[in-house]
Amino acid sequence: MNTAAPPALPTTAPPSVVTVRNPIGAHVPVAARGLAGTGLAYARRVGAESVQVFVANPRGWATPPGNPAQDEEFRTACAEQGIPAYVHAPYLINFGSDSAATREHSIASLRHSLLRGHAIGALGVVVHTGSAVGSAPGGGSRRAEAMAQVRADVRPLLDELDALGGTAPLLLEPTAGQGSSLCSRMEDLAEYVDALDGHPGVGVCLDTCHAFAAGHDLAAPGGVREALDALVAAAGPGRLRLIHANDSEDVVGARKDRHANIGAGRIGAEPFRELFEHPETAGVPLIVETPDRKHGGDGAGHALDIALLKELRERAAVPI
């Protein structure tokens, strides 16, 4: 168990960035006119106060170079408009794999996301915690070996992050519990954070759909508080840096990562209000990754979810 509070995670953002207790936003597209031209225009259209972006194909290994002019435009606009920005690393990354090639690609891909996050002034880089692919000699779980690989592969990247000034902390996102997941339940975070020596550049991104799918019943009375308390007990206070606010199409414990619009799934709307009321979420932005096409696309679904979350934030029993 890692209960000690980590040193404050560094940030490149000016004090004016977080203007409300929990800036609410969305994962935004960046194709066509780039980070600022497409991404921030989308953010304005849906009423986003925070944004998350991909800086590479999320389902590939390519590590495209950034455009310095676009990076500067995005970084400056986010600072001037008070918009916290985050990067989501590609989904293929898995340091628990038994494939040497997958591990090598994962290192290069996460390094790229961290460097690009630094370049655009991101406040964190989200990465899925992966799974123990394969079986140990003689059968059985590869979990112990997979966790050793996490340490061997990720710890050096944190040293590289330190050399940059630690401007884009690594945010661990527990998964929904599919397969041989290394980290899905909140208590799993203790082993993961310990494997990385409790490095201050390690934070947590809580995905509400993932937590629900992994068995944390956020819809039950007190369920949100219990899950957040478990997160703090495992990872330590101050580690929660971002929340992916997603409802779930499936029942609690289903281990299925199928997002629903806020209030339209099995979690329901009220538990999201309870999120705002927990002391650990103070200052933590929310990002929706909910279905948009069901509402016609072009941000219509995200705009509805953001508006509902803002209403719930207003109703929360905490100062905004």
Side-chain angles (χ1 to χ4, degrees):
M1 181 181 296
N2 192 327
T3 57
L9 294 178
T11 172
T12 56
S16 61
V17 163
V18 179
T19 57
V20 292
R21 185 182 191 275
N22 299 92
I24 297 167
H27 186 103
V28 302
V30 297
R33 293 181 293 117
L35 289 164
T38 298
L40 293 185
Y42 184 95
R44 288 191 294 272
R45 188 161 65 250
V46 301
E49 303 164 335
S50 55
V51 296
Q52 178 179 272
V53 298
F54 289 126
V55 291
N57 182 346
R59 304 186 187 281
W61 293 121
T63 54
N67 180 311
Q70 287 190 17
D71 291 352
E72 175 62 24
E73 183 181 2
F74 181 80
R75 184 172 60 247
T76 300
C78 286
E80 291 178 349
Q81 298 172 33
I83 299 176
Y86 297 83
V87 168
H88 198 306
Y91 300 133
L92 296 180
I93 292 174
N94 183 16
F95 297 104
S97 175
D98 61 352
S99 164
T102 295
R103 289 176 62 191
E104 290 173 5
H105 285 309
S106 295
I107 292 169
S109 181
L110 184 54
R111 177 183 287 115
H112 173 262
S113 288
L114 289 168
L115 290 172
R116 293 291 296 120
H118 173 73
I120 67 173
L123 303 191
V125 174
V126 178
V127 65
H128 289 177
T129 45
S131 59
V133 175
S135 59
S141 171
R142 284 189 66 256
R143 182 179 181 85
E145 182 179 355
M147 290 304 302
Q149 290 174 189
V150 168
R151 175 179 174 77
D153 295 345
V154 179
R155 190 63 182 82
L157 294 178
L158 295 174
D159 291 336
E160 294 179 25
L161 181 66
D162 287 341
L164 289 175
T167 56
L170 181 64
L171 306 183
L172 306 174
E173 181 179 359
T175 60
Q178 313 97 312
S180 301
S181 173
L182 290 175
C183 183
S184 56
R185 298 277 302 177
M186 297 300 103
E187 48 267 31
D188 296 336
L189 283 163
E191 183 180 10
Y192 217 103
V193 172
D194 285 345
L196 300 176
D197 298 327
H199 192 283
V202 174
V204 175
C205 172
L206 171 65
D207 186 306
T208 53
C209 177
H210 292 182
F212 191 71
H216 294 283
D217 193 354
L218 305 182
V224 169
R225 183 186 66 252
E226 290 177 7
L228 288 169
D229 287 350
L231 185 156
V232 175
R239 294 277 184 190
L240 180 62
R241 309 297 291 187
L242 184 65
I243 295 170
H244 285 169
N246 303 305
D247 211 325
S248 172
E249 289 193 7
D250 297 288
V251 298
V252 62
R255 297 188 176 186
K256 293 181 180 179
D257 182 15
R258 297 203 301 163
H259 297 182
N261 293 101
I262 305 300
R266 301 282 188 154
I267 297 175
E270 281 303 298
F272 290 92
R273 177 186 58 78
E274 296 175 27
L275 272 176
F276 296 117
E277 298 178 342
H278 195 284
E280 191 66 15
T281 69
V284 177
L286 278 68
I287 295 289
V288 297
E289 302 172 317
T290 50
D292 188 56
R293 292 182 180 177
K294 290 183 178 180
H295 297 272
D298 200 30
H302 287 163
L304 289 171
D305 285 334
I306 289 171
L308 177 54
L309 286 170
K310 287 179 179 179
E311 178 185 333
L312 294 167
R313 182 179 64 190
E314 291 177 1
R315 290 170 43 205
V318 293
I320 301 300

